[in-house]
Amino acid sequence: METSPAGPIRPVHASRPVDPPAPATETRAADSGAADTAPADGGAEPDGDDPTDQATGPGRHRRITLLALAVLATASAAALVVGLPDWASEPADAARPLTAAEAERLAAVRVTNYRDVRSGVHVTVGRGSGRTELVGWVDWSRPLVYLDVGGPGAGTDRGLVQATGAALLARPDPAAAPTPAPPPLVPPTDRWRLPAPPAGRDLASVVDLLLDLGAARTAPDVATLPAAARWTGRDTVAGTPVDVLRAPLPPDTPGSAASGGPEFRLWLDPDARLHRLAGPLPDGTPVTVELARSDRPTLRPIDALGGHPGLPRALAEAETERLARLPARLRAAGGATLTLTAPLDPTRNLRGGGWLNWAGQTAYLGVGDVAAPADRTLLRHRAGRVSRVELPAGADTDPAARPPLPPPSGLTWSPARPPGDDLDRLVATALRAGATAVPAHSAVRLRDDRVADRTVDVIEVRVPRSPALRYWIDRTGLLRRVELRTGPGLWAQLDLSPAAVPALPTGGPPVPAPAPRPRRR
């Protein structure tokens, strides 16, 4: 203890640490509150027994605040250290090379699709208000794609599409709902046409992408897969766990080199089934394909794509008899009205109507393009030769309407020539059916079908170096349809309704009916 002449004895509190002495100037500057209350002459200090001197002084507050901040900082750092391993364990870029098992699954994508036969698809081309959406199915075994085209960016493509690897046919429907829906399982029979290819993105690119996802061949060796293929993560699609891979599509020919095409992301399940695909079309437009693997109805191609393939077999006895008697049966019927459907190329989606006479081997019809119904062409067939004339443009009319009888006067017909295109050959084939019997050994029965509310046998005639043709013969032995395989890989049809026909313009003297040939045994 110490004495002070200026005041009473001041105890030293045990709970307060004793600070080392400091210069008077620092003490006064640091503790300005004390300086304000101390007498200038070093007189008496406040009574040290006042509790507020120790508990509530400004220095005490400062030390408590600093201590609290230090504790808080220590706790925060500890929490960060504890949480850091979980966050840092997931690298910023999780991509890695494929394992051997993943590479095998990627290589098996095409053959797995082919073995599954079909799948539902929902394709989105582009983004936002310019996107086109396509909903329907792909059949890799046939192959066939059948889609409803919609979405805000569909434009003139809105409607239905059917396509094979060789040809694409569209059925435009500008009044269709903007939101696409699965197309009808029994497709409409009318208004299908070959569309003109657009300058930019087109339906053909989508069809090619879908059909390229299937292949009947054994998957290529893993060594042929792109070296840049990567595993990028895991996901779930419609409840199915999948691996997400990034790679060009695998080659579809065994032993071929890896594709150098654009990269896609593929959502692939443990059984090598593809559930989603995302990447660019050839023009760079983004495309996403969602596959509904359980949506697998049997698809029916439209007639222009050949119709249902059926099960080809040799002719039965009754079918052979009807085919042999066909020429005599048609000559006895005399003739028929005809309706033509012939998508020959994007600028000639032809429809037509008229008559043919099997007894006189003549035909007269008018044809026009569905895109230009005011422009029509008249054709005369006689004795295996064809002449034609273009009608002056007039009012729009049904291209399948029958031509005027008699023909308008003052027209200049072309010289008669042998059939020169698929249209001429189709009509000539229908006329020849009333003159020459088809050998049974060159024909197979594809299937039964229906046309004009009658059951028919579809007989395909296969002659080397000649286009394939089909006769649709009803059970009474009459010909109801003739089909000819055209250059674009489509089938042109001539529907026939046996009936009395008027006198047809021939441009020459009557042609005698061909004499019947003896039947072969």
Side-chain angles (χ1 to χ4, degrees):
M1 295 180 66
E2 61 181 358
T3 60
S4 172
I9 298 173
R10 181 178 180 180
V12 178
H13 295 277
S15 60
R16 179 177 178 179
V18 179
D19 296 326
T25 55
E26 290 185 10
T27 302
R28 296 176 65 88
D31 196 354
S32 60
D36 291 340
T37 57
D41 59 357
E45 297 180 3
D47 186 0
D49 290 336
D50 186 353
T52 60
D53 180 44
Q54 304 300 326
T56 61
R60 178 70 169 178
H61 277 299
R62 185 176 293 104
R63 284 190 292 272
I64 292 174
T65 301
L66 292 175
L67 179 62
L69 291 175
V71 171
L72 181 61
T74 303
S76 300
L80 180 61
V81 171
V82 170
L84 185 61
D86 289 339
W87 172 80
S89 62
E90 192 70 25
D93 183 6
R96 57 166 173 75
L98 302 185
T99 65
E102 291 161 353
E104 289 176 357
R105 278 191 284 148
L106 179 60
V109 165
R110 281 192 167 103
V111 73
T112 301
N113 286 337
Y114 184 84
R115 289 171 180 170
D116 282 354
V117 181
R118 291 176 294 274
S119 175
V121 294
H122 186 149
V123 183
T124 303
V125 180
R127 297 190 180 98
S129 60
R131 74 185 184 282
T132 301
E133 296 188 52
L134 307 95
V135 177
W137 302 276
V138 56
D139 185 325
W140 292 292
S141 66
R142 187 157 289 162
L144 179 69
V145 172
Y146 183 24
L147 302 169
D148 178 84
V149 183
T156 57
D157 290 333
R158 192 179 309 280
L160 300 179
V161 167
Q162 276 206 5
T164 64
L168 180 150
L169 284 166
R171 186 179 187 271
D173 187 1
T179 302
L185 281 176
V186 178
T189 59
D190 62 343
R191 294 166 42 201
W192 292 93
R193 65 182 70 176
L194 271 170
R201 91 175 68 153
D202 61 336
L203 297 175
S205 297
V206 175
V207 169
D208 291 344
L209 174 62
L210 293 177
L211 293 180
D212 283 348
L213 295 177
R217 301 176 181 87
T218 305
D221 296 334
V222 173
T224 66
L225 291 175
R230 291 289 185 271
W231 178 95
T232 63
R234 293 186 176 89
D235 202 348
T236 301
V237 178
T240 302
V242 294
D243 289 299
V244 184
L245 311 182
R246 186 180 70 235
L249 293 180
D252 58 358
T253 304
S256 62
S259 171
E263 283 194 346
F264 287 82
R265 287 192 297 160
L266 303 94
W267 282 253
L268 205 59
D269 74 14
D271 296 321
R273 287 184 173 86
L274 184 66
H275 292 261
R276 182 182 295 156
L277 178 78
L281 291 176
D283 66 354
T285 304
V287 61
T288 301
V289 180
E290 301 276 353
L291 293 100
R293 309 293 309 202
S294 60
D295 185 12
R296 304 169 61 247
T298 300
L299 305 183
R300 176 174 181 136
I302 58 177
D303 290 337
L305 292 175
H308 194 276
L311 297 173
R313 60 165 174 79
L315 302 184
E317 183 176 353
E319 296 155 358
T320 301
E321 188 71 15
R322 284 195 290 269
L323 184 62
R325 293 180 178 273
L326 183 62
R329 188 78 174 87
L330 296 180
R331 289 194 300 270
T337 60
L338 62 85
T339 302
L340 170 80
T341 304
L344 302 182
D345 60 56
T347 63
R348 291 199 302 162
N349 286 286
L350 301 182
R351 304 291 185 272
W355 302 269
L356 61 76
N357 186 321
W358 283 299
Q361 287 292 288
T362 59
Y364 175 52
L365 65 156
V367 300
D369 191 299
V370 294
D375 300 328
R376 301 196 78 200
T377 301
L378 303 183
L379 297 99
R380 303 185 303 207
H381 283 249
R382 176 178 177 272
R385 301 178 74 82
V386 186
S387 60
R388 64 184 66 208
V389 64
E390 303 293 331
L391 283 179
D396 289 356
T397 185
D398 181 3
R402 296 187 188 114
L405 264 178
S409 59
L411 301 178
T412 303
W413 291 78
S414 67
R417 295 186 176 91
D421 60 12
D422 288 330
L423 171 60
D424 294 344
R425 283 187 283 271
L426 176 61
V427 178
T429 297
L431 285 171
R432 193 165 55 247
T436 306
V438 174
H441 65 80
S442 63
V444 295
R445 181 188 183 276
L446 294 182
R447 64 180 188 270
D448 60 45
D449 214 314
R450 288 189 67 82
V451 63
D453 294 327
R454 293 176 179 269
T455 300
V456 297
D457 294 305
V458 181
I459 309 296
E460 183 165 309
V461 180
R462 301 170 177 175
V463 178
R465 297 182 299 279
S466 296
L469 63 94
R470 292 174 179 174
Y471 289 163
W472 293 42
I473 304 173
D474 70 18
R475 300 302 163 82
T476 69
L478 286 174
L479 188 61
R480 296 289 175 172
R481 175 181 287 181
V482 177
E483 292 183 319
L484 182 75
R485 184 75 177 256
T486 66
L490 301 174
W491 291 89
Q493 298 106 33
L494 202 63
D495 288 326
L496 304 165
S497 298
V501 298
L504 303 180
T506 61
V511 178
R517 295 187 179 185
R519 293 174 55 192
R520 291 185 178 182
R521 294 291 184 184

